[in-house]
């Protein structure tokens, strides 16, 4: 499963390195290229919930295979884009279908991992899965830099052999799908969440072109958010919703999800903006830009392992707080060094920023899944990944708007200082901001006119202007992680075991099943069980075959199933999320 999802993570970053070559050959604008990157992330965000639900309905193995096929066919078509007027539309459409394939693949793959590993090994398995799949993103820039030297189209075609091996391994693993669930698919919900996310991100993305005072900008943003609000109301009233919003009653799960949201505002957009900065302001080649980003992943890889150990020993809250603080400091210091135009001087701060993300990414993701695992593996993964990728899409849109605006202002001032009038300088600055190719030394204007001559003389200053404009972007990333820190302070800090979370069961509309707190070894004898109508008494069947009864004093209604893990005895405290400890029961 890790091999299957590898290509989806690689594709989040590989296109960023090849972006200048794609822009140059296909004659795209920088905003158009951002949509090529953004279409993939937006489709991920829009369809992750659908992918998780389909995995629950049809079985994860079938959805893994289907997602892999959709992804690899879309990859081939992206690499075959014609160099004509339809190039941008072609790329955006098939990048979006790539995102759809990834949205089907990832939650189903995670559901397989969760179901295969027994409860006592599940936490380590999830930490490894999230940590290594996140680190796989580092391969994107390196592979992209190498393949771009041959042809940028190869960054899409490389997915073909990966997909073939992934499908072969999936067949060899002999994964058994559970019987199809006797439930319907929430089609209206799937349509609403896709439209809501698409409209809101469109508004953020086009704000630089339409202006923040444009009615169209705010119509898209507000309209998208209204659709998402309608989606949430519909989910609460639907018998078989796309997303069971009751999982958000657990404060720890909500905090984990919010921290992931703010962290993703920085994590994925970083690759696009840092790689283009390296190629423009530092005049780096695609391979050199890949090495520039490798500093980030050096810090990320080391901190991911450390963060996993902190999660196991102390719980998730220390890892979240440490990651947010280190990330905030790292991004802020990195932003301050961008105008030095020296790759060598920046690497300590790049690594520090990577370490901050590494500390919190896997622990937050793992803790979120552990807390709501009783709802369903595919469903919970769909929620967290939807939030993560929606945040990445918003980050790309907002930071892209910020960069374009600042770049236009900076270049306008530079050209005016060299004698051009306001109108000519602003028009030329807008063209520069929209026509970033990453190779300023080889794309300087030709001709003997005053504008061309001024532009050639100003290229060094324009590279500095781009560095200064990027400072606003990187300071914005630091602010996002600072907000995540204050959110992490609200985490209850309790630790939820996989077994306890399973016993908690799935909360249904109108009621809440109890969620286990620090259950320790008290629930080792739990087998299959069901909650009564009032949620007060739960009857379980242990491996010994003898029924046992526990009083959990919770309100709500739910059902839960779990494999029998042998006999055990001890005490456990059961609580309602957001409330204090209740009467102890026995497991």
């Amino acid at each position: 499963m890790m091999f299957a999802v590898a290509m989806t993570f690689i594709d989040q970053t590989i296109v960023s390195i090849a972006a200048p070559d794609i822009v140059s050959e296909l004659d795209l604008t920088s905003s158009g290229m951002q949509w090529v990157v953004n279409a993939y992330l937006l489709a991920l965000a829009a369809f992750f919930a659908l992918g998780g639900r389909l995995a629950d309905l049809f079985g994860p193995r079938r959805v893994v295979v289907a997602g892999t096929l959709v992804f690899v066919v879309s990859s081939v078509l992206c690499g075959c884009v014609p160099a004509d007027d339809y190039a941008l539309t072609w790329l955006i459409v098939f990048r979006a279908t790539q995102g759809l394939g990834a949205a089907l693949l990832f939650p189903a793959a995670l559901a397989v991992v969760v179901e295969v590993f027994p409860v006592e090994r599940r936490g380590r398995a999830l930490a490894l899965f999230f940590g290594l799949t996140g680190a796989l993103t580092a391969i994107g820039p390196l592979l992209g830099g190498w393949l771009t030297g041959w042809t940028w189209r190869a960054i899409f075609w490389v997915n073909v052999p990966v997909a073939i091996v992934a499908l072969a391994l999936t067949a060899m693993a002999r994964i058994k799908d559970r019987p199809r669930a006797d439930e319907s698919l929430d089609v209206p919900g799937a349509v609403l969440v896709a439209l809501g996310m698409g409209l809101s991100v469109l508004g953020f993305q086009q704000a630089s072109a339409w202006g923040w005072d444009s009615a169209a900008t705010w119509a898209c943003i507000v309209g998208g958010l209204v659709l998402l609000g309608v989606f949430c109301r519909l989910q609460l009233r639907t018998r078989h919703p796309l997303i069971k919003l009751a999982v958000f009653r657990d404060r720890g799960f909500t905090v984990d999800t919010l921290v992931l949201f703010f962290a993703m505002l920085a994590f994925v957009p970083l690759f696009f903006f840092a790689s283009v900065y390296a190629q423009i302001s530092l005049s780096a080649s695609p391979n050199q830009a890949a090495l520039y980003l490798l500093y980030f992943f050096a810090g990320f890889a080391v901190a991911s392992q450390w963060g996993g150990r902190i999660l196991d020993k102390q719980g998730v809250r220390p890892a979240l707080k440490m990651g947010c603080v280190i990330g905030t400091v790292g991004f802020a210091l990195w932003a301050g060094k961008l105008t030095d135009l020296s790759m060598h001087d920046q690497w300590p701060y790049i690594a520090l920023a990577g370490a901050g993300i590494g500390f919190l990414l896997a622990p937050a993701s793992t803790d979120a899944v552990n807390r709501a695992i009783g709802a369903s593996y595919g469903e919970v993964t769909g929620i967290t990944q939807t939030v993560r990728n929606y945040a990445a899409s918003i980050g790309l849109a907002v930071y892209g708007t910020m960069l374009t605006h600042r770049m236009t202002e900076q270049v306008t001032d530079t050209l005016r200082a060299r004698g051009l009038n306001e109108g000519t300088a602003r028009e030329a600055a807008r063209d520069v901001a929209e026509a970033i190719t990453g190779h300023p030394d080889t794309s300087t204007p030709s001709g003997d006119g005053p504008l061309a001559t001024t532009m050639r003389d100003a290229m060094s200053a324009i590279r500095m202007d781009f560095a200064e404009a990027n400072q606003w972007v990187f300071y914005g990333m630091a602010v996002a992680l600072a907000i995540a820190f204050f959110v992490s302070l609200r985490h209850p800090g309790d630790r939820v075991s996989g077994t306890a979370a399973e016993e908690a069961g799935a909360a249904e509309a109108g009621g809440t099943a109890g969620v286990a707190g620090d259950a320790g070894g008290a629930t080792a004898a739990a087998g299959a069980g069901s909650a009564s109508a009032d949620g007060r008494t739960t009857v379980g069947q242990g491996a010994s075959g003898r029924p046992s009864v526990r009083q959990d004093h919770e309100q709500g209604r739910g059902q839960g199933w779990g494999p029998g893990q042998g006999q055990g005895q001890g005490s456990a405290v059961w609580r309602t999320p957001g409330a204090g400890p209740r009467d102890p029961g026995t497991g």
Side-chain angles (χ1 to χ4, degrees):
M1 292 300 99
M2 291 185 63
F3 200 95
V5 303
M7 56 186 178
T8 71
F9 277 82
I10 291 172
D11 264 57
Q12 290 187 28
T13 54
I14 195 171
V15 177
S16 299
I17 290 295
D21 284 356
I22 298 174
V23 167
S24 179
E25 181 175 327
L26 300 181
D27 194 25
L28 306 181
T29 63
S30 62
S31 60
M33 190 61 217
Q34 283 183 26
W35 265 110
V36 173
V37 176
N38 213 29
Y40 178 81
L41 299 172
L42 179 57
L44 273 174
F47 296 111
F48 243 117
L50 176 63
R53 185 63 177 152
L54 290 175
D56 293 335
L57 290 177
F58 297 101
R61 182 187 61 82
R62 297 186 186 94
V63 179
V64 164
V65 172
T68 302
L69 291 174
V70 171
F71 189 91
V72 72
V73 171
S74 300
S75 297
V76 172
L77 291 172
C78 282
C80 295
V81 55
D84 56 24
D85 294 340
Y86 299 101
L88 180 60
T89 302
W90 180 294
L91 269 180
I92 289 176
V93 168
F94 290 112
R95 281 288 285 171
T97 56
Q98 258 192 322
L100 171 61
L104 298 176
L105 173 58
F106 188 87
L110 182 59
V112 170
V113 174
V114 171
E115 290 187 354
V116 166
F117 279 87
V119 173
E120 64 271 13
R121 296 174 58 197
R122 187 174 294 154
R124 285 175 292 175
L126 289 176
L128 186 65
F129 185 88
F130 284 119
L132 289 187
T133 50
L136 284 172
T137 318
I139 298 177
L142 295 173
L143 192 60
W146 180 68
L147 291 174
T148 303
W150 172 39
T151 170
W152 61 263
R153 297 175 187 270
I155 67 173
F156 298 110
W157 295 335
V158 73
N159 290 325
V160 174
V162 177
I164 292 173
V165 175
L167 290 172
L169 291 176
T170 301
M172 292 169 60
R174 299 180 181 177
I175 302 163
K176 294 182 179 179
D177 270 334
R178 56 182 179 268
R180 177 176 174 177
D182 187 21
E183 297 178 3
S184 59
L185 177 64
D186 180 17
V187 176
V191 173
L192 278 174
V193 72
L195 289 177
M197 291 185 174
L199 267 180
S200 57
V201 174
L202 176 64
F204 286 118
Q205 171 71 21
Q206 292 301 109
S208 60
W210 297 343
W212 284 102
D213 56 349
S214 168
T217 298
W218 289 106
C220 287
I221 295 174
V222 175
L225 294 177
V226 168
L227 285 176
L228 291 176
V230 173
F231 166 76
C232 292
R233 291 181 62 87
L234 180 67
Q235 298 304 284
L236 294 173
R237 299 176 179 178
T238 302
R239 182 179 180 184
H240 301 301
L242 192 69
I243 295 176
K244 294 190 177 97
L245 297 179
V247 297
F248 286 100
R249 291 193 178 104
D250 186 324
R251 191 175 76 186
F253 178 84
T254 302
V255 170
D256 289 333
T257 305
L258 286 174
V259 168
L260 287 172
F261 176 88
F262 288 108
M264 289 303 106
L265 286 176
F267 183 49
V268 175
L270 162 74
F271 306 115
F272 179 80
F273 294 103
S275 62
V276 176
Y277 160 80
Q279 294 178 72
I280 293 179
S281 293
L282 303 182
S283 299
S285 67
N287 283 328
Q288 290 172 326
L291 293 175
Y292 179 73
L293 291 175
L294 191 59
Y295 294 131
F296 181 90
F297 281 103
F300 178 91
V302 173
S304 291
Q305 299 302 312
W306 197 352
R309 287 195 291 269
I310 292 175
L311 173 66
D312 290 338
K313 295 179 180 179
Q314 304 177 41
V316 72
R317 187 163 61 180
L320 295 185
K321 293 193 295 184
M322 185 179 299
C324 292
V325 170
I326 293 175
T328 300
V329 173
F331 275 103
L333 294 176
W334 188 2
K337 282 290 183 178
L338 290 178
T339 52
D340 288 357
L341 302 186
S342 170
M343 189 181 300
H344 177 73
D345 292 342
Q346 296 179 30
W347 76 262
Y349 312 111
I350 301 174
L352 194 64
I357 298 293
F359 266 116
L360 65 88
L361 184 61
S365 300
T366 303
D367 187 65
V369 171
N370 281 342
R371 287 180 170 276
I373 218 164
S376 79
Y377 311 138
E379 175 190 330
V380 171
T381 307
I383 295 171
T384 57
Q385 297 301 317
T386 294
V387 170
R388 286 176 56 170
N389 288 282
Y390 184 48
S393 298
I394 292 177
L396 272 169
V398 172
Y399 296 142
T401 300
M402 187 186 304
L403 179 65
T404 301
H405 175 73
R406 290 305 308 168
M407 182 65 175
T408 301
E409 294 298 321
Q410 294 283 138
V411 175
T412 298
D413 293 342
T414 295
L415 296 180
R416 286 184 61 196
R418 283 167 168 75
L420 293 182
N421 62 58
E422 172 73 23
T424 303
R426 184 163 293 278
E427 183 178 354
R430 191 177 297 112
D431 291 340
V432 169
E434 289 291 324
I436 296 169
T437 65
H439 302 285
D441 291 334
T442 60
S443 61
T444 53
S446 59
D448 298 325
L451 177 58
T453 301
T454 302
M455 290 292 291
R456 283 197 297 270
D457 293 341
M459 287 311 297
S460 178
I462 288 174
R463 282 196 289 272
M464 178 61 76
D465 289 337
F466 189 69
E468 292 179 359
N470 267 283
Q471 283 186 310
W472 288 74
V473 172
F474 282 71
Y475 280 128
M477 294 174 179
V479 169
L481 286 171
I483 296 174
F485 169 77
F486 288 108
V487 172
S488 70
L489 297 178
R490 299 291 299 166
H491 198 286
D494 55 340
R495 303 174 65 183
V496 179
S497 69
T499 307
E502 268 190 356
E503 286 195 342
E508 297 179 355
T512 306
V515 176
D518 189 2
T523 58
S530 62
S532 65
D534 63 0
R536 294 179 179 275
T537 304
T538 299
V539 180
Q541 183 70 36
S544 63
R546 297 194 304 271
S548 61
V549 179
R550 74 163 183 263
Q551 298 289 334
D552 58 16
H553 299 282
E554 301 291 342
Q555 297 297 323
R557 182 164 57 92
Q559 291 183 322
W561 295 268
Q565 298 296 324
Q567 299 184 35
Q569 186 174 0
S571 63
V573 176
W574 302 86
R575 64 176 180 80
T576 297
R582 300 295 182 90
D583 296 339
T586 59

